[in-house]
């Protein structure tokens, strides 16, 4: 979807070339550059969608058929474009040309959005993981993959969702404060998370919106990320009554030990693919 937004922005440069014929080369170059960036966004996510359809491991067949359909659609689109441009009044009126382009582009974006919202993934990414974890922490239930995919907003960036979680944070940012207290903080965190493959700390404690910082140890896996996500949501749901951060983190780890096994069990019962987290 973002690739189409960027591609649309690139085609605006193409659209302005009749207004500034002396700058045709730089405008056309900027348009092609934006479209190339859009393809860079599109191709990796497109592979995920193709793999989603390859139920029998027949990714090559799926990709080949899609390429055939794409080439066919492009040829039909070019033919229709030529017919539109040959229509009297369009080439002679820049306003008509612009409105035609805008109408076709909006229709394309709407079709793209409709084609994406119907996808139902059983795999777990960060945005779907947030929905699953939030439901389990709050209600002790895990939604099925159909309901979760319908709830997932494909246009929202994961980093802007609540609670705010930063993954792969350097230890220097976690420690903060005075350097004289760093060693005590390190010892406390290592002791707390001795059985985990990650370390989670809280930034901006006391403010309305805290940020949860996560750094990973060697040998951390996707399951480690999921465990840190569960703990962060528990912390977000259970704000401390006092400023004893260590006790608060320790309580959250106890809740993680008690509840995470049930979370994984419910995920399996709900039909989620735990081999692709």
């Amino acid at each position: 979807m973002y690739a189409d937004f960027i591609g649309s922005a690139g085609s605006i440069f193409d659209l302005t070339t009749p207004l500034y014929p002396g700058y045709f080369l730089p405008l056309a170059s900027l348009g092609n550059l934006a479209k190339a960036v859009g393809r860079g966004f599109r191709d990796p996510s497109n592979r995920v969608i193709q793999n989603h359809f390859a139920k029998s491991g027949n990714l090559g067949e799926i990709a080949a058929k899609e390429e055939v359909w794409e080439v066919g659609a492009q040829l039909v689109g070019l033919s229709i474009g030529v017919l539109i441009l040959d229509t009297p009044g369009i080439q002679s009126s820049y306003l008509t040309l612009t409105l035609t382009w805008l109408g076709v582009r909006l229709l394309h974006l709407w079709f793209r959005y409709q084609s994406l919202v119907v996808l139902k993934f059983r795999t777990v990414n960060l945005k779907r993981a947030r929905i699953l974890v939030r439901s389990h922490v709050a209600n002790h239930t895990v939604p099925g993959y159909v309901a979760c995919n319908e709830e997932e907003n494909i246009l929202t960036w994961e980093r802007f969702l609540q609670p705010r979680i930063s993954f792969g944070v350097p230890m220097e940012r976690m420690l903060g404060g005075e350097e004289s207290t760093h060693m005590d903080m390190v010892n406390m965190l290592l002791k707390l998370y001795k059985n985990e493959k990650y370390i989670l700390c809280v930034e901006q404690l006391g403010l309305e919106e805290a940020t949860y910082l996560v750094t990973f140890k060697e040998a951390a896996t996707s399951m480690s990320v999921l465990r840190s996500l569960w703990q962060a949501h528990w912390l977000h749901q259970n704000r401390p009554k006092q400023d004893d951060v260590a006790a608060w983190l320790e309580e959250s780890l106890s809740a993680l030990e008690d509840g995470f096994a049930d979370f994984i069990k419910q995920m399996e019962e709900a039909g989620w693919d735990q081999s692709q987290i």
Side-chain angles (χ1 to χ4, degrees), residues 126 158 165-174 197-201 211-217 220 224-225 228:
L126 273 176
E158 188 273 335
I165 306 172
S166 293
F167 294 101
V169 174
M171 283 297 294
E172 289 84 357
R173 182 181 170 188
M174 277 192 165
K197 297 296 183 184
Y198 69 91
I199 293 176
L200 183 149
C201 197
T211 300
Y212 301 91
L213 309 178
V214 182
T215 189
F216 296 103
K217 301 178 184 178
S224 308
V225 181
S228 68

Side-chain angles (χ1 to χ4, degrees), residues 123-125 129 221-223 225-226 264 267 273-277:
T123 53
V124 182
N125 64 4
T221 64
S222 294
M223 194 61 70
V225 181
L226 196 58
I264 294 298
M267 276 184 61
D273 185 358
Q274 295 188 33
S275 66
Q276 296 191 58
I277 296 178

Side-chain angles (χ1 to χ4, degrees), residues 16-173:
T16 56
T17 53
L19 296 177
Y20 306 99
Y23 297 95
F24 176 84
L25 185 59
L27 288 173
S29 299
L30 285 172
N32 284 326
L33 175 62
K35 292 173 186 177
V37 172
R39 284 194 297 272
F41 275 97
R42 183 194 67 186
D43 290 345
S45 54
N46 191 43
R47 296 295 176 267
V48 176
I49 295 172
Q50 288 177 344
N51 192 61
H52 168 69
F53 286 118
K55 296 296 185 183
S56 304
N58 54 335
L59 182 59
E61 291 180 335
I62 297 294
K65 288 179 172 60
E66 185 177 339
E67 287 293 330
V68 171
W69 278 100
E70 185 173 350
V71 170
Q74 286 176 346
L75 291 174
V76 171
L78 286 171
S79 302
I80 295 174
V82 170
L83 292 175
I84 290 176
L85 289 174
D86 281 344
T87 303
I90 288 186
Q91 279 195 339
S92 59
S93 172
Y94 185 78
L95 178 61
T96 305
L97 179 66
T98 303
L99 291 176
T100 303
W101 169 86
L102 182 62
V104 173
R105 179 55 61 174
L106 290 176
L107 185 65
H108 168 77
L109 292 173
W110 184 76
F111 278 138
R112 174 69 75 191
Y113 182 80
Q114 293 301 319
S115 70
L116 292 175
V117 294
V118 297
L119 291 169
K120 300 292 184 287
F121 291 99
R122 293 177 184 264
T123 53
V124 182
N125 64 4
L126 273 176
K127 281 167 54 173
R128 290 189 284 276
R130 280 177 173 270
I131 297 172
L132 300 179
V133 167
R134 183 176 67 243
S135 175
H136 188 263
V137 170
N139 307 311
H140 304 287
T141 60
V142 172
Y145 70 93
V146 174
C148 181
N149 276 267
E150 290 175 353
E151 184 178 348
E152 180 187 5
N153 187 334
I154 64 173
L155 294 179
T156 305
W157 284 14
E158 188 273 335
R159 69 181 63 183
F160 296 127
L161 298 176
Q162 294 296 334
R164 294 175 59 185
I165 306 172
S166 293
F167 294 101
V169 174
M171 283 297 294
E172 289 84 357
R173 182 181 170 188

